Amino acid sequence: MLYAGFMSAVPPSFAQPHEPLGGTEILQLGTREEEPCLRADAARNRARLLDAAARLVREHGAANLTMEAVATAAQVGKGTVFRRFGDRTGLLAALLDHSARQMQAAFISGPPPLGPGAPPAERLKAFGLAQLRHVHEQLDLHLAAQPEAARRFSHPALRALGAHVTLLVRQAVPGADSDLLALTLLGHLDPALVYHLTRQCGMPLERLEAAWTDLVERLTATPRDTDT
């Protein structure tokens, strides 16, 4: 979704309207420098640094996050942080990538309705609500790590979300232009828009959630259950 460190040189095209999407493809996130077989001690150190950075972001905001502060909080030398993440942009990328992986695990293999097992329209509703809360909780981080507009939609995390929403729209509304509808729906969840509506306009998150549910219901023609 958000940072230049993850961008591929030549972004793949969207799937064609009836081209099947592989579930395993959605999970392909990570920086170029991240090795799948990190030594156990290196993996523990990386996790400790990310935990420290996440704590600092929660306490002081992403704008105030520095490599020096992370090193101090994690009780390591500043050089360790630079060797692991390269620079502040790489650190922010790693933080948001870690968060994105957790979100993906929830909608790929978690319990329904967010995970498999519920009707596609219900999964779509649950996805949007979960993503809105996810973005709202880490809004400063999302904004700080957001790339230039020309590269935003080629980011692997946003492509993963797009693939998931495209598949659900394709299942819920057969025959629709699922690719473009998915991008339209994802626009409702954009961190910059969430920031504008909640912080600049003072709109409660609950209103955005209600609007998402209404949007999905109108798109899929699935009225909400008033008994629940």
Side-chain angles (χ1 to χ4, degrees), residues 1-3 6-7 14 26 28-29 96-97 100 104 107 127 131 135 142 146-149 151-166 182-183 185-191:
M1 170 163 23
L2 298 173
Y3 11 85
F6 291 170
M7 305 301 173
F14 273 87
I26 296 178
Q28 293 177 358
L29 285 182
L96 208 49
D97 177 66
Q104 288 187 35
F107 67 66
F127 166 80
Q131 182 66 9
V135 168
H142 280 268
Q146 195 161 19
E148 60 187 21
R151 306 178 74 181
R152 180 183 304 179
F153 293 99
S154 62
H155 186 274
L158 186 57
R159 285 179 52 78
L161 297 181
H164 180 63
V165 174
T166 298
L183 288 173
L185 288 171
L186 286 173
H188 187 86
L189 312 176
D190 181 73

Side-chain angles (χ1 to χ4, degrees), residues 198-212:
T198 59
R199 296 195 182 176
Q200 295 181 322
C201 298
M203 193 176 295
L205 180 64
E206 291 78 11
R207 183 174 174 186
L208 275 66
E209 293 174 339
W212 171 266

Side-chain angles (χ1 to χ4, degrees), residues 123-136:
R123 292 193 67 194
L124 195 55
K125 291 180 190 178
F127 166 80
L129 296 178
Q131 182 66 9
L132 276 172
R133 293 163 192 160
H134 170 74
V135 168
H136 189 258

